[in-house]
Amino acid sequence: MELTAEELAENLALVQEKVKQAAERAGRDEKDVMLLPVSKTKPVEDMRVLMEKGIHAFGENYVQEIREKYETLGDSVEWHMIGHLQRNKVKYIIDKVAMIHSVDTIELAEQIEKEAVKHGTQMDVLMEVNIAAEETKWGFTADEAMTAAAKIGELPHVHLKGLMTSAPITEDPETNRKYFAALRELAGKIGDQHFDNVSMDTLSMGMTQDYETAIEEGATIVRVGTAIFGKRDYHQ
Ligand SMILES: *Cc1c(COP(=O)(O)O)cnc(C)c1O
């Protein structure tokens, strides 16, 4: 464990306080904002410290890591897949995760449908939108999102609950405010269409660098890793 249990608990409390204050600033109920700690590359022991503090849901990026951690923690936590997901790996997580935030193609949604049927389950998903149109990022463009939502809505075992984005890397969260606002507006437009099997109540946006701004702009899930768990080492 890189951080001590005390440090982890302190970090969590600090982030929770900032979440609360950002919600207050925006005139929102803090209960409408879910803090999703992102535990990728971090050990199960760190997750347990947070579980003792009342956290029951975690974001993870890698299928293999979910499978390994699931061996230990099983369904005692709610797993959220937030990383890019290859179609051929859906089968490994379909019976483990509560939500897939990172649906970035229709083909992936169709694969989730297929595996959900096979496992006799349903899956809540978000559409990942590359809202800043960055060349390096996964996700639907804002222009593709409407048509994609209609198509995903046709899949009976896949329930589209909203949108997710990762805003550009920045030192100044204010520069991302317009992207968070744009994602909220896009969700509003899609929601107005009342597609079958589609709701747009969930906005997964904001990370360590910008979660307070994201909350001010309507985030219902903020995905925070570094501010809670400390820096990640990808070379272990
Ligand atoms: C790693 C990751 C996060 C958390 O990032 P931090 O900057 O450590 O808070 C959030 N969302 C996604 C999609 C990620 O991959």
Side-chain angles (χ1 to χ4, degrees), residues 14 30 57 70 122 144 147 157 162 170 175 186 206:
L14 185 68
E30 63 171 302
Y70 190 88
Q122 321 252 326
E144 295 166 335
T147 317
H157 300 81
T170 181
T175 62
L186 181 60

Side-chain angles (χ1 to χ4, degrees), residues 160-212:
L160 180 56
K161 298 292 185 183
L163 304 180
M164 177 269 218
T165 200
S166 294
I169 292 172
T170 181
E171 301 267 296
D172 175 9
E174 280 304 319
T175 62
N176 281 339
R177 185 178 294 278
K178 59 181 178 292
Y179 298 123
F180 297 138
L183 195 75
R184 182 191 65 230
E185 282 159 25
L186 181 60
K189 275 187 206 153
I190 296 171
D192 285 345
Q193 300 296 313
H194 300 289
F195 295 126
D196 282 348
N197 191 28
V198 174
S199 71
M200 281 285 135
D201 300 333
T202 304
L203 283 178
S204 171
M205 58 186 194
M207 336 199 310
T208 291
Q209 62 172 10
D210 52 20
Y211 66 95
E212 292 164 272

